[in-house]
Amino acid sequence: MSGGDIAGLIAATAFVLLVGAAAVPLLKLGQVFDEARASVREFTEHAVPVIDEAAGLVASSNTQVARVDTITTSAAEVSQDVAALTALFSATVGRPLLKLAAFSAGVRRALGGYR
């Protein structure tokens, strides 16, 4: 065997050792990717029902908001009706009653001085 053959044999052995040393981290990296894929699959399996439930909750909330909107609209209409009724009562009955009360107070004062 010549010196070139020995050098080639040493180089080939070193290359095999280098490939073997690089294979270990690559195998571990492959296991990490497998675990990551499994984690993503599990997360997806758990997240989809939660998202579906949230969508149902939002739809239910929209229904409740529509009902509350109907109730508040009705309450606003009743409030406007009460305000109109109060204004009508004040204009038709309230002012004459105040005038009558003022007149009767004046009569009492005037007659109270004679007693």
Side-chain angles (χ1 to χ4, degrees), residues 46-101:
H46 291 295
V48 169
V50 171
I51 292 171
D52 290 340
E53 185 177 338
L57 181 63
V58 167
S60 174
S61 298
N62 285 339
T63 303
Q64 295 298 326
V65 167
R67 288 181 184 165
V68 168
D69 185 43
T70 303
I71 291 169
T72 55
T73 302
S74 297
E77 291 172 357
V78 167
S79 172
Q80 290 173 351
D81 291 345
V82 168
L85 186 61
T86 303
L88 179 66
F89 179 79
S90 174
T92 58
V93 178
R95 287 185 191 145
L97 283 177
L98 284 175
K99 289 180 181 180
L100 180 64

Side-chain angles (χ1 to χ4, degrees), residues 16-64:
V16 167
L17 290 176
L18 180 65
V19 168
V24 173
L26 287 175
L27 290 174
K28 288 185 179 182
L29 183 62
Q31 291 173 353
V32 168
F33 284 145
D34 289 341
E35 288 295 324
R37 185 181 322 140
S39 296
V40 167
R41 184 177 300 127
E42 183 179 342
F43 176 75
T44 303
E45 288 173 358
H46 291 295
V48 169
V50 171
I51 292 171
D52 290 340
E53 185 177 338
L57 181 63
V58 167
S60 174
S61 298
N62 285 339
T63 303
Q64 295 298 326

